[in-house]
Amino acid sequence: MGIFNNFSFIFLVIFLSLSANADVQRHRFVIQATKVKRLCKTHNTITVNGMFPGPTLEIKNGDTLEVQVVNKGRYNVTIHWHGVRQMRTGWADGPEFVTQCPIRPGGSYTYRFTVQGQEGTLWWHAHSSWLRATVYGALIIRPREGKSYPFPKPKRETPIILGEWWDANPIDVVREATRTGAAPNVSDAYTINAQPGDLYKCSSKETTVVPIDSGETNLLRVINAALNQPLFFKVANHKLTVVGADASYTKPFTTSVLMLGPGQTTDVLIRGDQPSSRYYMAARAYQSAQNAPFDNTTTTAILEYKSASCAAKKCNAPTPIMPSLPAYNDTNTVTTFSQSFRSLEKAEVPTDIDESLFFTIGLGLNKCPSNFRKRRCQGPNGTRFTASMNNVSFVLPRNFSLLQAHQQGIPGVFTTDFPANPPLKFDYTGNVSRSLFQPVPGTKLYKLKYGSRVQIVLQDTSIVTPENHPIHLHGYDFYIIAQGFGNFDPKKDTSKFNLVDPPLRNTVGVPVNGWAVIRFVADNPGVWIMHCHLDVHINWGLAMAFLVENGGGELQTIQPPPPDLPIC
């Protein structure tokens, strides 16, 4: 009994000391239309607190966030805290009609959650239609008080948020695509911290400038917030040392170029070791889908050495030096980069697997419904674009959220028969029969017992076109234990599994015409969507959701819904 009391006392001391250093951070996000001028034109753009990009939130590991979102805009909205584990707080995760009904115009909702065991860079964004084209911002998680980074403390830190800009209302762009069944118009510019940069019309005066001093080491927190495009990122004449990704530390490695899929973050150290001058940071598309239209423009910011600055004195600043970026379709560079990631410490990878799943992912084409006019079927050969996992094209409910339907036992909203394997085996990356181009629509979930150890093989397909798909799982981080090209072969490809120090991520780029294998433990009860982070693909149905059951006791049970949860 005495030993038990000692243990209880020690646990209480540890708990209290951790709690003492944790803060509750409160913020108010007002969703509103704001006049934003880009590319010579002014748009009524949906923003947060009139800011574009939105506010950067800075917290410590262990802190609790309370963010009241007030919708003064004209569209439904939700906010997703991308990469936050949301342990037992699924009601705060944010995807529309998955964990909550949207916040209607005039309504409000307070997201409450604690960030535990994560450090580095995440971000937040709207998860409703295409509002995340402009509604996004950085979420920086620093170590607890008294703790430090596992690398030398940088002199300064700068979020670098890569985005995509339409010279139009993004909501109109996606609505037009939904009406016609065709692919949506590509963006007109990419941005760095919401500015297109020198190479675009009417943009050079507002180009983002990032300061650096000779001899100092700075931390760049790079986030790809673009809607539909993986992006290469490079700084002229400077090497980048990768030290983290998706709020997990990595073994440091040095590279001259980054590639981030939408949703991914990468923390890099940059050293002021070049002659004092001005250097372009530049980002442009990695385009893996053949013959698909894409925005082939380049966004820039300027890395400016202090002594090269003209802010305090009148002078002719030197023209920045431009980096040479990889070719748009340079998959070799992408592969080299993505295979360089390793966890900083030995990883706790689940080895005995309870659920071994195989998910095909890809596009599709629906035949034109007989009651549709031709102008509503402007996909290839008079079809409508679609997308699927395991031949199921995911359909979101409209009257309830999935989590609400699960918690309240509301029948008829979803089924739990999402297939663990594709219904038909075929040559996934070869010439696919046209009979496989049309998936079946459905709201199908896959049920996981609490604590089950899960492995998923994510297999790209060449239906319509193969493509690099950034797949994001809500509510979890996962280990990427292998990636490769062609069809996954369990007989030979399991030898490539890294079970020692694989990277821990929340978004994985499934290689074009290839596969990725991920593992995680289902220790967070709730309903969690897994989807392609190219927003055009989630609109078409490239998604599914896991229903993770409660375990035993309060700490393994999802919290009750908050009283202000929006109703449909």
Side-chain angles (χ1 to χ4, degrees), residues 333-350:
T333 290
V334 173
T335 305
T336 301
F337 177 68
S338 61
Q339 292 186 348
S340 300
F341 285 86
R342 297 282 185 275
S343 282
L344 184 60
E345 311 285 349
K346 187 178 186 306
E348 294 177 21
V349 188

Side-chain angles (χ1 to χ4, degrees), residues 355-359 390 417-422 446:
E355 296 273 3
S356 188
L357 309 174
F358 189 103
F359 291 174
N390 277 358
D417 56 348
F418 185 86
N421 295 282
Y446 191 89

Side-chain angles (χ1 to χ4, degrees), residues 60 125 170 239 267 379 385 464 471 542 556:
K60 300 188 306 294
H125 61 81
K239 296 279 192 196
D267 290 344
F385 271 110
V464 184
I471 301 296
L542 213 170
Q556 297 180 3

